[in-house]
Amino acid sequence: MRKHRPGPFAINVRDIVRHPGEMRVVDLELPAPEKWGEGLVSVAEAEQIAIRARLESVHEGILLSASVDSEYTGVCGRCLIDIAAPVEVEIQELFAYPEQETSDFEVQDDHVDLETLVRDAIVLSLPFQPVCQPDCPGLDPATGERMTENTGAEQREPVDTRWAALQDYTTDPDTDAPRVGAENTEES
Ligand SMILES: [Zn+2]
């Protein structure tokens, strides 16, 4: 009979619960259950999340040390091309026994559930202003195209024909017309 598991990121620790000094290493590789992150880049739903979890039974509960590897995807914050890059985080957290009341995370029956911890750690590590490369030149303000390297070859000033047209008005042939005499009938 299959035992119900609380969630895909839960690790059964029954064999080390209440046995201080016991330790286990568990490797998990799971798809992200949903998109993690709301910024320009995120870990996509179903992206693989690789976790190496070291679980150590201590007096207060189960001490977790984990390395998490995945990949984020999204767009460069300057030039908007698609980017993808690895994301790696290290986590250490105590899952306390229920009577401890000292931790945000608890050992639940015979397991620890890593999902919230892993998700929060990954989301916090995502770059707020991701770039495709450190010196990404961004978009050309005139054309909206992604600029290539800053070689200067494409730095031509755009000619605005509206200004050329305005120049016609600077040579007005009628400016020599005699001024009409002052009709100032100032009476006192
Ligand atoms: Zn870029």
Side-chain angles (χ1 to χ4, degrees):
M1 185 173 171
R2 278 172 65 95
K3 182 173 172 57
H4 170 71
R5 297 194 67 196
F9 288 81
I11 298 176
N12 193 308
V13 290
R14 191 190 335 156
D15 54 341
I16 61 171
V17 160
R18 313 266 180 202
H19 288 84
E22 296 288 315
M23 197 269 286
R24 287 176 60 203
V25 173
V26 177
D27 289 317
L28 293 176
E29 184 143 354
L30 295 162
E34 59 191 350
K35 187 177 94 161
W36 285 350
E38 298 294 331
L40 290 169
V41 294
S42 58
V43 171
E45 181 179 352
E47 184 65 53
Q48 286 298 297
I49 312 290
I51 303 170
R52 164 152 288 208
R54 185 174 176 273
L55 300 149
E56 192 178 348
S57 187
V58 295
H59 180 70
E60 300 84 1
I62 303 292
L63 183 63
L64 166 79
S65 308
S67 350
V68 182
D69 290 274
S70 187
E71 183 180 84
Y72 68 74
T73 52
V75 295
C76 171
R78 294 185 200 157
C79 73
L80 306 179
I81 63 163
D82 291 340
I83 55 174
V87 53
E88 302 176 22
V89 290
E90 299 288 329
I91 297 171
Q92 187 162 72
E93 187 69 52
L94 175 70
F95 285 80
Y97 294 128
E99 72 273 13
Q100 293 288 330
E101 297 179 6
T102 56
S103 171
D104 292 336
F105 297 93
E106 281 190 357
V107 178
Q108 296 165 336
D109 298 329
D110 55 1
H111 68 270
V112 291
D113 194 331
L114 275 54
E115 181 169 340
T116 303
L117 259 182
V118 168
R119 181 197 63 211
D120 290 354
I122 283 185
V123 169
L124 280 174
S125 75
L126 293 174
F128 186 65
Q129 292 287 0
V131 288
C132 59
Q133 59 193 57
D135 59 347
C136 170
L139 297 175
D140 187 320
T143 65
E145 298 286 321
R146 180 175 185 253
M147 298 215 286
T148 49
E149 300 297 320
N150 281 313
T151 57
E154 302 288 331
Q155 302 274 324
R156 194 166 55 90
E157 277 293 314
V159 174
D160 191 326
T161 53
R162 288 172 300 178
W163 291 112
L166 279 175
Q167 289 176 355
D168 292 341
Y169 293 99
T170 61
T171 53
D172 188 345
D174 295 330
T175 49
D176 288 337
R179 283 176 64 91
V180 178
E183 298 181 23
N184 188 350
T185 54
E186 190 174 357
E187 301 196 3
S188 54

